[in-house]
Amino acid sequence: MRTSTRRSRRLGAIAVVAALATGLLAGCSSDPDDGSSDADNGSGGGKTTLTIGTFGVFGYKQAGLYAEYQKLHPDITIKENVTTRTDVYWPKTLTRLQAGAGTDDIQAIEVGNVTEAVQTQADKFVDLGKEVDKSQFLDWKVSQATTKDGKTIALGTDIGPMAICYRKDLFEKAGLETDRVKLAAQWKGDWSKYVAVGKDYMKKAPSGTKFVDSASSVYNAALGGESERYYDKDGNVIWEKSKGVKKSWNTAMSVATSNMSAKLKQFDPTWDQGFAKGSFATVACPAWMMGYIQEKSGDTGKGKWDVAAAPTAANWGGSFIGVPTASKHQKEAVALAKWLTAPEQQAKVFAKQASFPSTPSAYASLKPAAATTEYFSNAPITQIFGDSAKTIPVQYFGTKDQPINTAISDIGILQVEQKGKSPDQGWNAAKAEVKDVLGQ
């Protein structure tokens, strides 16, 4: 990985330090300086302890899957190592993969990193395609984690069909429409219409609140509905000329240069606090976000959040889990990975926190938990996300997809939103960072 002095000072500093500090430590214990938390479900007693490295809120623990598996397999103990931020998690994991030591028995891979894993780290993963019936997964999901010679390095966990989660109590106080169907109709077809609703919200916004959490959130959501992003289907870098990137950037700039954003950086502690305090009225909401909202908003958000269809069908995120060849318990880890990604288990995670399965056979049986639907004002979650999933455009990811996206979101957009730079200055800052990422 090429890391210049400038990049070290900014985007990559924390990630690189975390990676080097922990890269060769066996057992992959939690790192107190990178936002990690250790969800240990017990150990000892002569049992085999399997570690699983994840980021964010995967839902396995929350849905009781670890406890269920341990009950089915009394000789197994599962220990989850959670890193809050993906931009810290992946460089750390990449360093450990390259070193051939310190990885977890199972490693999660975010969709923005899976192409890099496939093209540069395939030999560091067990071929799980030989272990499962790949037809149970979405074809495009399998393809994302499969090498040209047919090795499938990871199994799909979820996908990220898009919706908008909104605080109907804040909308009501601002004098706006609160019915999810009528509201969705107001912004249907174009994210600029969503921004227009934001301008209306700010005219009578409840004290201390903004319409949206961040301009970066809007950028990622809008880009998720575009067929053209950072790479073309042949793996060529096209980000600077991409119509999808430009359109999404312009939408984000209309937010960043207005007063409607809370100007928070997603997945930072201040963003988490924003959920708890009710600081913003809407958030771009791929299915996996619902679990995050419930965890961070807590009881204060129960019954106040609702869900409406997004302006366009889109996908944001979705992950995989793979078994590194460095695992000392490959056989047991493969068995656990297969079980966690089976349609039955994916349906259980959806029931708990609405993470949308990558296994179509689970769709007919999807039933959100009563607590989840109650939390989100009894919204028809399955229908909203299911309708979006049906028309998500095909997108192509490249080896540096995630760092390019981070450069645009965390450098370019934040320059405008938090530091008052012009959109042109923000774009130029992002451009310089991307060129550094690509080694140009």
Side-chain angles (χ1 to χ4, degrees):
M1 177 183 293
R2 182 178 181 273
T3 306
S4 71
T5 301
R6 181 179 77 249
R7 182 168 169 78
S8 295
R9 287 199 305 267
R10 300 186 304 188
L11 178 62
I14 296 176
V16 171
V17 170
L20 294 177
T22 60
L24 300 179
L25 294 179
C28 196
S29 60
S30 296
D31 301 306
D33 60 343
D34 68 1
S36 299
S37 66
D38 189 353
D40 195 346
N41 290 281
S43 61
K47 297 181 178 180
T48 296
T49 297
L50 296 178
T51 59
I52 174 168
T54 65
F55 47 84
V57 182
F58 258 61
Y60 293 150
K61 179 185 177 184
Q62 291 80 357
L65 296 189
Y66 295 148
E68 181 180 349
Y69 192 82
Q70 289 173 151
K71 187 175 181 179
L72 293 170
H73 302 83
D75 58 328
I76 297 293
T77 292
I78 301 171
K79 180 181 179 182
E80 183 183 67
N81 295 317
V82 185
T83 301
T84 303
R85 294 183 58 87
T86 57
D87 60 349
V88 172
Y89 170 86
W90 182 244
K92 177 179 64 177
T93 300
L94 194 60
T95 297
R96 290 170 170 169
L97 287 168
Q98 292 169 340
T103 58
D104 286 296
D105 295 298
I106 294 175
Q107 291 287 169
I109 307 171
E110 202 268 341
V111 65
N113 301 124
V114 74
T115 301
E116 181 175 20
V118 165
Q119 294 188 10
T120 70
Q121 305 299 315
D123 62 326
K124 302 296 195 306
F125 285 95
V126 175
D127 185 357
L128 295 179
K130 296 179 179 179
E131 305 290 341
V132 299
D133 176 7
K134 291 189 288 186
S135 67
Q136 67 183 326
F137 297 92
L138 290 163
D139 290 342
W140 60 266
K141 189 74 172 177
V142 175
S143 296
Q144 287 179 331
T146 302
T147 65
K148 290 183 178 180
D149 60 0
K151 179 179 180 180
T152 301
I153 70 165
L155 302 177
T157 58
D158 64 316
I159 59 175
M162 188 71 63
I164 297 294
C165 289
Y166 66 101
R167 284 283 297 262
K168 64 180 183 180
D169 59 322
L170 298 181
F171 267 57
E172 184 175 11
K173 291 178 181 178
L176 300 186
E177 179 63 63
T178 59
D179 179 83
R180 66 180 71 93
V181 176
K182 294 179 180 178
L183 184 59
Q186 291 183 5
W187 58 50
K188 183 177 181 180
D190 196 326
W191 283 91
S192 64
K193 296 180 181 179
Y194 170 77
V195 174
V197 173
K199 292 179 180 178
D200 289 340
Y201 177 88
M202 293 309 301
K203 292 175 183 178
K204 296 182 179 180
S207 178
T209 71
K210 297 293 185 179
F211 178 67
V212 67
D213 61 326
S214 69
S216 293
S217 171
V218 176
Y219 171 79
N220 283 298
L223 187 62
E226 298 292 334
S227 58
E228 203 176 70
R229 40 185 294 142
Y230 306 133
Y231 288 78
D232 65 19
K233 63 181 180 180
D234 297 318
N236 300 309
V237 179
I238 61 167
W239 79 275
E240 200 170 355
K241 298 179 180 179
S242 167
K243 294 180 180 178
V245 171
K246 274 293 188 181
K247 183 178 179 181
S248 302
W249 170 268
N250 290 337
T251 301
M253 288 301 99
S254 66
V255 173
T257 56
S258 73
N259 67 339
M260 71 177 68
S261 173
K263 301 181 180 181
L264 299 172
K265 185 177 180 181
Q266 289 197 321
F267 302 105
D268 271 5
T270 52
W271 187 57
D272 295 347
Q273 294 164 12
F275 281 110
K277 295 177 181 179
S279 300
F280 45 87
T282 72
V283 63
C285 196
W288 51 263
M289 184 70 78
M290 298 186 73
Y292 201 93
I293 291 172
Q294 290 178 79
E295 182 165 302
K296 302 305 179 183
S297 295
D299 291 340
T300 60
K302 185 177 181 180
K304 296 177 182 178
W305 284 97
D306 207 328
V307 187
T312 61
N315 187 80
W316 178 4
S319 301
F320 304 79
I321 55 174
V323 177
T325 55
S327 168
K328 296 180 180 179
H329 311 290
Q330 278 190 30
K331 181 179 178 181
E332 294 85 354
V334 167
L336 176 58
K338 289 169 57 178
W339 188 83
L340 288 173
T341 56
E344 298 82 0
Q345 276 60 257
Q346 292 205 27
K348 292 171 186 175
V349 175
F350 177 85
K352 176 62 179 178
Q353 63 179 45
S355 294
F356 209 80
S358 60
T359 50
S361 62
Y363 294 171
S365 62
L366 291 183
K367 294 180 180 180
T372 298
T373 53
E374 182 181 357
Y375 197 96
F376 289 95
S377 304
N378 296 312
I381 297 169
T382 303
Q383 177 187 339
I384 292 172
F385 288 115
D387 288 348
S388 178
K390 292 175 183 176
T391 53
I392 292 172
V394 175
Q395 295 184 320
Y396 299 97
F397 291 79
T399 56
K400 297 298 181 182
D401 211 275
Q402 183 64 38
I404 291 174
N405 190 79
T406 301
I408 294 174
S409 296
D410 291 1
I411 300 296
I413 294 176
L414 286 187
Q415 287 279 324
V416 180
E417 187 169 51
Q418 294 187 0
K419 298 184 179 181
K421 302 293 185 179
S422 71
D424 284 344
Q425 288 174 318
W427 180 260
N428 288 334
K431 182 177 179 179
E433 195 69 30
V434 172
K435 287 190 173 183
D436 193 36
V437 165
L438 297 174
Q440 297 177 344

